[in-house]
Amino acid sequence: MAAFVQLVILGLLAGGVYVAVGVGFGLVWGVLNIVNLAHGALVIVGGYITWQLFTAFGLDPFLTLPVDAVALFVLGYALQRGVINRIIRAPLLFTFLLTFGLNLVIVNILLLIFGSDFRSVTPTYSGQGFEIGGIVVPYVRLTSLGAAILLSAGLAFLLSRTRIGLAIHAIAADRDAAQLVGIDLRHAYAVTHRHDPGDHPDRRRAIHAAGVRGRDPGRAGPGQRNGGGRPGLWPGRGFRAVHPRLGFRVRQRDRFRSHGAGPGHAAAGSDGPAAVIATADSQRRWRRLFLIVGAIVAAYALLAPLTSLDAAQSANVPLLADKFWFRIATYVVMFVVMATAWNIIGGITGYAAFGNVAFFGIGAYTTGMLIAKAKWPFLVALPLAPILAALFAALVGLPLLRLRGHYFAVASLGVGVVGELVQNIDYNGQPVFGGASGLFLPIYAVGHRGLFFFYLMCGAAAIAIAVTWWVLRSRFGYGLIAIRENEEAAAVLGVNTTAYKVGAFALAAALTGLAGGIFSQWNVFINQDNAFPIEYNVQMILMALLGGTGTVFGPAAGAVLLQLLIQFLGGSLPISIDLPFVSTEARPIVAQVILGLLLVVVVIFVPSYLRRSLRDTSL
């Protein structure tokens, strides 16, 4: 009993410190309507400031708190004023991607500066405490809790008793009304974007930059629906009449209304102004060009591997692809499957899911367990991977898909907890799924193994694209589009929104699980790190956005472009560039920094007309 009480006391003391972190996170969410995925990285910055001051000057950790607070206030103010304010009214996905990009940049810069070694802050009184009835209360954790309570009280006073605090309350209640009465929104947002001073719940515990890489726990603007809403119809988007059995249609004068145009603006019909017709013709030409280029690239990618066959080599056919090429190409096609699958729930349905990597891991472990433990043949075990992934998605989707906007996006991150379960489930003292050591699969005996898995993954990609094509031309797809545009109106018109959303979620999970099942046997080894990598969540979303969400071929094109860029920055491609002052070991870290910066630049600085062009010309 005493041990249990001791654990409860330690847990309460440690959890109390996170109150300060949670208060800052909630303040940014409540006022800015932004879920800041870089919040945890900035907390680690505070930890490194404390470690540096303690190591260099012997300054007591608690005396560094004011320095942490000032440094992070300045950093948070600069990030908000210079970066985040630029997309404050942007859709949900853009704010998530922007803050994730900032997280990538901050975490990997810390790794470049401090390395991957752990750092510890150990003052003389660390490990000491006082005892009450056999229960030990550590001084460090108790003092940290007190500091967190004081910080929270100071923040409460600021919000309730100061001018800037009242302005923050006004903005949270009604942003537009607050601006009308003269409140400087940019300044108030920047002040709000403050962060915890980096006080760690236990100063003896080591800090490590990689500890928050992609592990941070955690926009629908006006007229937007879950980041996927489109408040207007765009000329040349290949608009089709909504399925008649859904019981509603778009008026002729609204079919080609430009983005942002209201009812008073002229709308072109089928015989509209010449400018609209010329724009539509231009976009059709771009689509044809895209199809031709895509067909040429796809044909080369599919036929080049055949030059590695013995028959081709004996006929002196030039070798166009080797085993190294197979591996890179298989990874690229794997992301084509995942991005296309995410497009069904995120692009067509308009629900920004951030936990789809869980279905990839479920598919991988389903196939891996059946092969390694039950001794099933690979081709017999593979079909169960999408089935179990879809069943899990339907199970969690029933409660999860009742949420919307930020709440759904944050809750979907929790789906990734499956990876933790895989590592920690034991039976009779033995890890069921291989535990931290992972799971080794027997090598699949097949001739030209690399070629076999490349074409198998291409088959999965073809299935994913075909399913998307079918969805966009079916009653089911029309219902999903109606949900994306206006869920309440779709429900009134008879669309079973819950069933449609769960169906889309399960379909996306099945395709993602299929890719995971193929990956497990192809890679031979799976563990939590390669089956549930949280960075895959953002990569598949960025791929879909880059190529065009809600389209058939857009996510596939985005996956090819972004994955090749990632491989290029990591030095995996035969064509690469030498980065000055960067060692070979640090190159992957620098690649992550560059990727994060590109993510930030694309989200902020790409002109709106270019994003419109990318979306309109996608297929």
Side-chain angles (χ1 to χ4, degrees):
M1 184 61 182
F4 174 76
V5 174
Q6 180 71 71
L7 289 176
V8 170
I9 295 296
L10 293 177
L12 290 174
L13 293 175
V17 176
Y18 291 102
V19 169
V21 180
V23 166
F25 184 83
L27 183 63
V28 175
W29 188 352
V31 177
L32 277 64
N33 200 30
I34 288 178
V35 178
N36 181 19
L37 299 183
H39 194 80
L42 289 168
V43 172
I44 298 299
V45 170
Y48 273 109
I49 292 174
T50 294
W51 174 82
Q52 189 66 44
L53 293 175
F54 175 79
T55 304
F57 306 105
L59 193 61
D60 186 272
F62 290 102
L63 296 180
T64 65
L65 293 182
V67 180
D68 291 340
V70 172
L72 290 177
F73 181 87
V74 171
L75 179 59
Y77 190 95
L79 288 176
Q80 177 61 40
R81 189 87 181 195
V83 179
I84 298 178
N85 269 345
R86 296 176 180 270
I87 60 158
I88 200 66
R89 294 179 182 269
L92 170 68
L93 276 178
F94 285 91
T95 57
F96 265 77
L97 291 173
L98 177 67
T99 56
F100 183 81
L102 292 174
N103 179 76
L104 275 180
V105 172
I106 294 171
V107 169
N108 286 281
I109 286 177
L110 290 176
L111 284 173
L112 287 175
I113 295 173
F114 297 101
S116 57
D117 297 329
F118 288 90
R119 304 287 192 271
S120 297
V121 179
T122 54
T124 56
Y125 51 82
S126 63
Q128 299 180 11
F130 62 90
E131 185 174 344
I132 302 177
I135 306 299
V136 178
V137 179
Y139 291 135
V140 172
R141 294 199 179 191
L142 183 62
T143 309
S144 299
L145 175 60
I149 293 174
L150 289 176
L151 287 172
S152 301
L155 181 60
F157 177 82
L158 174 71
L159 293 175
S160 60
R161 300 294 182 181
T162 65
R163 185 179 182 86
I164 186 63
L166 296 176
I168 290 172
H169 274 301
I171 294 171
D174 193 322
R175 175 166 45 194
D176 296 326
Q179 188 173 18
L180 286 174
V181 298
I183 294 176
D184 185 351
L185 296 186
R186 290 172 59 87
H187 175 68
Y189 285 150
V191 172
T192 303
H193 200 263
R194 302 198 303 179
H195 297 273
D196 175 76
D199 180 41
H200 204 277
D202 188 348
R203 290 295 175 178
R204 294 169 299 157
R205 187 178 300 176
I207 57 176
H208 191 245
V212 296
R213 178 184 292 181
R215 303 276 180 182
D216 191 59
R219 83 187 132 192
Q224 300 289 335
R225 302 284 309 164
N226 297 305
R230 294 177 173 86
L233 296 176
W234 295 75
R237 275 188 59 78
F239 175 80
R240 293 179 298 277
V242 180
H243 197 285
R245 296 205 299 195
L246 282 178
F248 65 94
R249 60 188 177 187
V250 178
R251 294 174 295 180
Q252 178 68 24
R253 69 174 183 268
D254 290 336
R255 290 187 179 180
F256 290 98
R257 177 176 296 163
S258 63
H259 180 66
H265 291 73
S270 57
D271 299 321
V276 174
I277 296 175
T279 301
D281 291 340
S282 175
Q283 289 170 357
R284 279 195 293 271
R285 286 194 294 270
W286 277 107
R287 287 192 182 94
R288 294 192 190 101
L289 179 62
F290 176 85
L291 279 176
I292 293 172
V293 173
I296 294 173
V297 172
Y300 177 84
L302 291 173
L303 296 178
L306 297 178
T307 61
S308 65
L309 296 176
D310 296 336
Q313 290 299 300
S314 61
N316 295 322
V317 175
L319 181 64
L320 300 179
D322 55 11
K323 293 181 179 179
F324 179 75
W325 186 93
F326 291 155
R327 187 160 189 86
I328 293 178
T330 306
Y331 264 114
V332 171
V333 179
M334 183 182 76
F335 276 99
V336 168
V337 180
M338 292 194 290
T340 305
W342 181 89
N343 183 48
I344 295 175
I345 183 65
I348 300 176
T349 312
Y351 271 71
F354 278 80
N356 280 25
V357 72
F359 310 132
F360 179 83
I362 289 173
Y365 268 92
T366 298
T367 303
M369 289 292 293
L370 291 175
I371 294 173
K373 303 292 185 181
K375 309 302 180 183
W376 284 27
F378 166 60
L379 295 179
V380 176
L382 181 60
L384 286 181
I387 292 175
L388 287 186
L391 289 176
F392 178 78
L395 180 64
V396 301
L398 285 172
L400 196 65
L401 288 165
R402 298 182 183 275
L403 303 173
R404 299 183 189 179
H406 291 86
Y407 299 98
F408 171 77
V410 173
S412 66
L413 284 170
V415 177
V417 76
V418 176
E420 298 294 334
L421 294 176
V422 165
Q423 181 173 336
N424 294 301
I425 292 180
D426 292 342
Y427 181 75
N428 290 335
Q430 297 296 323
V432 176
F433 299 102
S437 300
L439 193 66
F440 289 90
L441 282 68
I443 297 177
Y444 187 61
V446 61
H448 300 281
R449 186 174 181 276
L451 199 64
F452 171 78
F453 281 102
F454 168 70
Y455 282 119
L456 188 61
M457 197 69 81
C458 287
I463 292 173
I465 293 173
V467 167
T468 304
W469 182 89
W470 168 79
V471 167
L472 287 172
R473 287 158 177 78
S474 66
R475 174 184 172 87
F476 175 64
Y478 293 131
L480 297 181
I481 294 171
I483 291 171
R484 181 189 68 195
E485 299 299 331
N486 192 321
E487 188 168 342
E488 290 81 4
V492 170
L493 293 169
V495 177
N496 188 338
T497 57
T498 300
Y500 274 59
K501 290 186 295 183
V502 172
F505 201 43
L507 190 57
L511 295 172
T512 309
L514 178 61
I518 298 173
F519 170 80
S520 65
Q521 181 62 84
W522 170 57
N523 200 59
V524 181
F525 170 75
I526 54 174
N527 62 1
Q528 181 184 358
D529 292 332
N530 64 15
F532 298 93
I534 196 168
E535 60 270 19
Y536 282 8
N537 284 321
V538 174
Q539 287 182 19
M540 67 178 79
I541 294 171
L542 183 58
M543 291 167 181
L545 287 175
L546 182 62
T549 57
T551 61
V552 178
F553 298 105
V560 173
L561 291 175
L562 185 61
Q563 187 59 28
L564 288 178
L565 176 63
I566 292 173
Q567 297 286 346
F568 174 75
L569 293 175
S572 300
L573 295 181
I575 301 174
S576 61
I577 57 174
D578 293 328
L579 299 175
F581 310 108
V582 176
S583 63
T584 305
E585 295 77 12
R587 189 182 178 105
I589 302 176
V590 174
Q592 291 295 313
V593 174
I594 296 175
L595 180 62
L597 290 173
L598 286 175
L599 188 56
V600 172
V601 169
V602 167
V603 170
I604 296 178
F605 296 106
V606 172
S608 59
Y609 69 85
L610 181 56
R611 287 200 297 263
R612 181 187 309 176
S613 176
L614 285 171
R615 186 178 71 179
D616 290 346
T617 56
S618 297
L619 298 177

